[in-house]
Amino acid sequence: MDEPDTRNRLDHMAQGVIGRPLDRPDGIAKVTGTAPYAAEYAIDGALNGVLVTATITRGKVIGIDRDAVLAMPGVVAVIADPRMITRSAQGTAGKSPKRDIGQVDYYGQPVALVVAETFEQARHAARHLDVRYAEEPGAIVDPHAADAIVEEQRGKSVVQGNLDRAMAEASHAVDVRYTTEGHNSAPMEPHASIAQWDGETLTVHLSMQMIKYNVKELADALGLPPARVRLISRYVGGGFGSKLGISAEAVAAAVAAIELGRPVRVVMLRQQVFQCVMRRSETSQRLRLAADADGRLIGFGHEALVSNLPGEKFAEPVTQASEFLYRGADRTIRLELARVHRMTAGSVRAPGEAVGMLALECAMDELAIAVGIDPVELRLRNIPERHPSLDIPYSSRKLAECLTRGAERFGWDGADRTPCRRREGEWWIGTGMATATRVHNLNEAEARVRLCPDGTAIVESDMTDIGTGTYTVLGQIAAEMLGLDPDDVLVRLGESDLPPGAGSGGSWGAPSTGSAVFIACEAIRERLAERLGCTEEALTLKDGAAIFGNDAMPVTELLGGEEIAETGRFDPGTIEDKCHSAMYGAFFAEVAVNAFTGEVRLYRFAGTFGVGRVLNGKTAHSQCVGGMVWGIGSALG
């Protein structure tokens, strides 16, 4: 599906729904506490389980004293089943990382589940479960340790020309190293699941981001056919990547429900979210920038070291933005992965850019000082015409506009930005700026749209809403295409027996599943046009009426008591191989730092963004502000 054509077709609809800052249809239920989250479904007879996690870094479980806790009030079972996973699946279908339940690879790894009648009974018993270990020496937790195994991620490496020569010949050069600490995404709703087994089908209410993958992951872990696994995730109280793949509580609940023949609820304790879901890797990054006398990059280098557990394929893509953001013919981009015995490293909001851009933009500021050029002008001079590593065109390139318009609105005057130039009393006052970018991803997606006999519509997909407004924007697309009031469109999400959407991850949900909704609506329009005796292009749907020329007919009359249902299927094809797509932005800040205490005060912070067509003004603004808040936290951290 060609994106420019999609925009033109939506312009032709001219219903005025797309882009409006509509409230979220799920908002009232969420703020009034009536939206049921994973652990809140009232299921009769449900037992409660609490995970027990390892207290050693590496070794084996050699014994569990079940009898002592089984004698406690309300305790039903202590389960240590080989099917229980010990690390999150990271959204990888069919590859749930099962391990020998007795093998311990990191501190905090799930080793058992205690099941009781009440949560309090299960938690009390879990705290008293005696697990005996044989601890193994030689556990590596520091990626910089001399004996750490380090693997180059060759698919992430770029070597073009001779960077060492460029650095030696450059009029101005910067060679700097930065480190960032690890992060943990601890969403407001902890990881939780309720599993039910009827002897044939496993039904799990859970909090997950990628249902079409999660079904296969859970089935793989349990040894069940995917057709016998049903997942329900209608509301997700935040994910940030930590709920991309099936995690330990879902599999443990399912194993217990199958074994005990009763529903089982497992909710991770808050400290367990920090121990056994996933973390963003810490990073060590080296930036080498070589520029000519005018500040144009002739050499560009970004090399990074990240970490993960042995056997895990994910490596924090720190150099992701460096591959395409700035020029520099002589390039070295390298990513290395150190194997450590610590909690699984995985995706945390904006994997790659969130930590890689911090280092890159700091290095660009260092180069601006070395060259004696305004930081905005330095970046403007180094925007490449084509992707510098792949030599393919950009689909669009709004970075220059973001930089110039952002500078104008902020009042950036091009004055000397050398640190510690302006002081007011005990406060040093400074201004700074940085580029923002995020790769644009697409994924296969399906959605079904049903135009009902009463003229309302229903949109259905297993796509999830993790707080980003999916319910809202999918409804707006359908309303725009079918000429309906958004209140007349019901959106059903988060159930695995619905058509498989893209899932909430990689920033691809709205463009991918949204395109599937668009395609389904287009097919419905074609069927209506056929009944009206015109082409789909000549048909106008507005305010519940089908209009062709001077003729208008209520859609309900055109339907004649029938429902029209169509499933849209979106496949990005090879477009990502033909051109590179990304979203761009620019940040500008005025900050005060106390000369004596080091206290930081943020006086002003502005962001300018080029993100393509905005589907909902309110949700888009919320996402921009949310990203800026994360940036503030990272800078102050």
Side-chain angles (χ1 to χ4, degrees), residues 15-310:
Q15 308 298 332
V17 178
I18 292 294
R20 285 169 54 189
L22 301 182
D23 291 338
R24 304 183 184 197
D26 51 317
I28 296 296
K30 287 180 175 178
V31 300
T32 58
T34 57
Y37 288 87
E40 298 176 335
Y41 287 87
I43 297 176
D44 292 338
L47 298 168
N48 291 271
V50 170
L51 291 168
V52 177
T53 57
T55 57
I56 66 170
T57 303
R58 185 185 183 191
K60 292 183 178 180
V61 175
I62 58 175
I64 298 176
D65 185 5
R66 291 173 168 83
D67 293 340
V69 298
L70 286 172
M72 292 180 176
V75 176
V76 176
V78 176
I79 297 173
D81 191 295
R83 292 174 295 175
M84 288 172 55
I85 64 172
T86 60
R87 51 184 82 175
S88 297
Q90 180 63 27
T92 306
K95 296 181 180 178
S96 295
K98 299 183 290 293
R99 296 292 187 272
D100 180 353
I101 197 66
Q103 178 66 40
V104 175
D105 292 321
Y106 61 96
Y107 181 91
Q109 174 184 309
V111 295
L113 179 75
V114 176
V115 183
E117 295 290 344
T118 69
F119 167 74
E120 291 77 12
Q121 291 169 334
R123 180 181 59 181
H124 178 73
R127 288 177 175 175
H128 289 83
L129 183 67
D130 181 18
V131 180
R132 297 186 302 281
Y133 302 94
E135 191 165 4
E136 297 176 8
I140 298 172
V141 295
D142 181 2
H144 299 283
D147 53 348
I149 298 175
V150 177
E151 306 164 357
E152 182 176 342
Q153 305 300 290
R154 299 192 179 278
K156 302 295 183 180
S157 297
V158 175
V159 178
Q160 297 173 187
N162 189 325
L163 178 59
D164 290 334
R165 182 184 62 199
M167 291 290 289
E169 297 176 354
S171 299
H172 307 281
V174 168
D175 186 346
V176 287
R177 293 181 183 271
Y178 300 99
T179 60
T180 62
E181 298 296 327
H183 297 154
N184 184 285
S185 52
M188 186 178 295
E189 177 200 22
H191 293 64
S193 299
I194 305 175
Q196 298 168 270
W197 173 250
D198 64 7
E200 290 293 331
T201 301
L202 176 72
T203 300
V204 185
H205 292 81
L206 73 179
S207 186
M208 285 283 114
Q209 298 178 220
M210 308 280 283
I211 297 299
K212 71 178 179 183
Y213 297 114
N214 303 146
V215 167
K216 297 176 183 177
E217 293 160 0
L218 185 54
D220 177 54
L222 300 172
L224 290 173
R228 295 175 65 185
V229 175
R230 180 171 182 255
L231 303 185
I232 300 171
S233 186
R234 298 189 182 104
Y235 297 99
V236 180
F240 313 111
S242 71
K243 297 175 181 176
L244 285 176
I246 288 292
S247 47
E249 94 292 337
V251 185
V255 169
I258 293 172
E259 179 175 321
L260 301 175
R262 289 178 62 181
V264 177
R265 176 189 291 105
V266 180
V267 181
M268 282 196 185
L269 310 179
R270 178 58 67 185
Q271 58 265 42
Q272 290 176 342
V273 174
F274 285 93
Q275 287 180 332
C276 58
V277 180
M278 65 174 57
R279 61 183 173 89
R280 189 204 301 280
S281 169
E282 72 297 310
T283 76
S284 176
Q285 305 178 54
R286 181 188 186 190
L287 274 297
R288 288 184 287 169
L289 305 177
D292 63 18
D294 295 323
R296 290 182 172 82
L297 286 166
I298 58 174
F300 185 98
H302 190 175
E303 298 164 274
L305 175 68
V306 298
S307 69
N308 209 341
L309 276 163

Side-chain angles (χ1 to χ4, degrees), residues 545-592:
I547 305 168
F548 170 48
N550 295 323
D551 297 327
M553 177 185 297
V555 170
T556 52
E557 183 177 334
L558 199 60
L559 289 170
E562 298 179 359
E563 174 184 285
I564 296 179
E566 292 287 348
T567 298
R569 295 175 175 84
F570 172 73
D571 184 347
T574 60
I575 188 171
E576 292 175 299
D577 299 327
K578 297 177 181 178
C579 62
H580 185 267
S581 298
M583 298 155 279
Y584 297 97
F587 296 133
F588 297 84
E590 182 178 24
V591 178

